[in-house]
Amino acid sequence: MGGNENQKLPLENPHDRRVKLCFKAQDGTEAYYKFNADTKLQKLLVSYCKENNLEYKDLRFLYQGKRLAANRTPAELDMHDEDEIDVMLHQHGGG
């Protein structure tokens, strides 16, 4: 018998959880981002805009059909790998 039976495995720190999210644009293109689940979404949304040469103020981000609160984290919203964030161009005006 070895002495390894009593060794405890390190517990996973919930603050170290990473999540892989899919950004789906109106034209059907998809982009995947993996980051810490305790990071504010605004950081990721701004990064998406910079990488795609888009203006943050011109877009709306939706999660499960509702506007995404940029001051929240994926952990707070119970997001999981492969969850989709819809990216919509904000349209002004009307009738």
Side-chain angles (χ1 to χ4, degrees):
M1 286 211 168
N4 292 346
E5 291 89 15
N6 293 331
Q7 274 187 339
K8 292 185 180 180
L9 296 174
L11 296 176
E12 184 177 318
N13 184 346
H15 298 290
D16 291 339
R17 184 172 74 92
R18 295 179 62 78
V19 64
K20 180 180 176 182
L21 300 176
C22 174
F23 280 76
K24 192 167 190 177
Q26 286 175 294
D27 65 2
T29 58
E30 295 180 351
Y32 289 86
Y33 291 83
K34 190 169 188 175
F35 67 109
N36 190 306
D38 284 333
T39 300
K40 298 285 184 199
L41 286 165
Q42 184 170 9
K43 184 175 181 179
L44 179 64
L45 303 179
V46 169
S47 176
Y48 171 84
C49 290
K50 284 182 182 178
E51 288 182 21
N52 291 284
N53 295 320
L54 300 168
E55 290 290 329
Y56 177 75
K57 65 179 177 55
D58 293 338
L59 300 175
R60 296 298 173 255
F61 298 92
L62 305 176
Y63 175 63
Q64 298 179 337
K66 297 178 185 168
R67 191 162 174 192
L68 194 59
N71 63 339
R72 305 284 304 271
T73 68
E76 291 171 339
L77 297 173
D78 197 30
M79 290 178 152
H80 299 281
D81 282 345
E82 307 295 326
D83 279 355
E84 286 185 4
I85 295 174
D86 296 310
V87 182
M88 304 289 173
L89 182 62
H90 181 71
Q91 297 182 357
H92 299 279

